[in-house]
Amino acid sequence: MADPLLDDVGELLREAAAKVVVPLFRRLDAADIAEKAPGEVVTVADRRAEELISAGLRRLRPSSMVVGEEAVADDPRLLRHLRGAGDVWLVDPVDGTSNFAAGRRPFALMVALLTDGELVASWVYDPLAGILATARAGEGTYLDGEPVRTTDAVPPVGALRGTAMTRFLPPDARRTAEAGGRRIGELLPGQHCAGREYLDLLTGDQQFVLFWRTLPWDHAPGTLLVRQAGGVARRFDGAEYHPADDDRGLLVAVNEEVWTEVRAALLDG
């Protein structure tokens, strides 16, 4: 059955990608890239895409609030709306900006909708791969319009394949994860694009991903996609993820048993 909201926001992301993001890929000049924080860049594509997407979301729900990554860089007070009343959109106009700025793939466009502080819908679009994932709380996850579920298979630790972003972990946790990673069948270094990591959980290309930094626009869309497909997204201590929590550490897996296996291998030592 068609879902007008999922369809309308999906089309908005496709429009932003087609009109703004993809035409600028590998066509940026030095003046089109700036450092907004140490080690973090922003491009003209990020800003233009956020403007286009934000305007479109406000047209869809005129009373809603938009919390975009670049808007928050200018006014961090916007984050207070993530536990507020009404409809609040989280927008990551170009997830994987460092890839995009360097002319590398992958990158993605992402949106999540919170209503009265709860995640209710999300979208992740990889324009170069042509993949759009959508989810509605209580109604499942869709990959290019088709229902998708994460696998319920539980391989032994030595057969698991997944990603661990160990670079940003505290030193003790990093040493534990790196030592435990030798027990994992294939431990990947990460793609510098959270949206693509979440898509790879849905497509079966990996069974887990571990993050330390958990900015809300990077993870709200993907965690809902994975949860609604049958997966798990929790903090290292087992607490459920919420985008308004100012915590570090997030382990996402295709099912409960894999989450437990990976936590034991990478975090317990």
Side-chain angles (χ1 to χ4, degrees), residues 206-230:
Q206 60 184 352
Q207 289 95 40
F208 69 90
V209 58
L210 181 149
F211 302 97
W212 179 243
R213 300 174 65 193
T214 57
L215 295 168
W217 41 81
D218 286 337
H219 299 287
T223 54
L224 186 65
L225 291 177
V226 170
R227 285 171 173 167
Q228 290 301 304

Side-chain angles (χ1 to χ4, degrees), residues 179-209:
R182 291 192 282 270
R183 299 167 51 198
I184 302 287
E186 189 174 1
L187 193 64
L188 307 171
Q191 303 175 74
H192 305 286
C193 176
R196 187 65 241 187
E197 303 289 357
Y198 285 107
L199 291 177
D200 284 355
L201 291 170
L202 299 180
T203 61
D205 289 323
Q206 60 184 352
Q207 289 95 40
F208 69 90
V209 58

Side-chain angles (χ1 to χ4, degrees), residues 154-164 176-177 180-181 183-187 201 206-211 236 250-269:
V154 187
V157 170
L160 287 173
R161 184 175 194 266
T163 298
T176 299
R183 299 167 51 198
I184 302 287
E186 189 174 1
L187 193 64
L201 291 170
Q206 60 184 352
Q207 289 95 40
F208 69 90
V209 58
L210 181 149
F211 302 97
F236 291 172
L250 177 64
L251 177 59
V252 188
V254 291
N255 58 53
E256 184 77 41
E257 292 79 7
V258 168
W259 191 93
T260 301
E261 279 191 338
V262 174
R263 189 192 186 286
L266 297 184
L267 300 176
D268 293 341

Side-chain angles (χ1 to χ4, degrees), residues 27-190:
R27 294 179 176 86
L28 294 172
D29 296 324
D32 295 329
I33 305 170
E35 187 175 64
K36 64 179 179 181
E40 291 191 29
V41 297
V42 61
T43 74
V44 65
D46 295 83
R47 297 193 185 281
R48 291 178 184 172
E50 184 165 305
E51 290 172 2
L52 190 157
I53 294 166
S54 299
L57 295 174
R58 292 188 185 99
R59 285 195 299 271
L60 289 174
R61 296 202 171 179
S63 62
S64 62
M65 169 67 63
V66 179
V67 178
E69 177 179 4
E70 307 315 326
V72 170
D74 294 333
D75 184 4
R77 294 173 300 175
L78 289 170
L79 289 172
R80 72 181 187 273
H81 295 290
L82 297 184
R83 286 200 184 274
D87 292 328
V88 178
W89 304 97
L90 263 170
V91 177
D92 192 339
V94 181
D95 177 55
T97 297
S98 62
N99 289 345
F100 183 84
R104 298 189 305 262
R105 58 194 302 171
F107 53 88
L109 290 75
M110 307 199 297
V111 170
L113 174 63
L114 295 90
T115 299
D116 297 332
E118 295 300 322
L119 275 168
V120 297
S122 71
W123 298 257
V124 174
Y125 179 49
D126 179 339
L128 298 186
I131 296 174
L132 174 66
T134 62
R136 275 270 213 175
E139 298 180 18
T141 299
Y142 296 83
L143 202 57
D144 293 327
E146 296 297 325
V148 63
R149 297 284 295 176
T150 56
T151 180
D152 57 4
V154 187
V157 170
L160 287 173
R161 184 175 194 266
T163 298
M165 310 292 191
T166 59
R167 173 186 172 192
F168 297 108
L169 288 171
D172 288 347
R174 183 169 65 249
R175 286 190 289 270
T176 299
E178 289 173 347
R182 291 192 282 270
R183 299 167 51 198
I184 302 287
E186 189 174 1
L187 193 64
L188 307 171

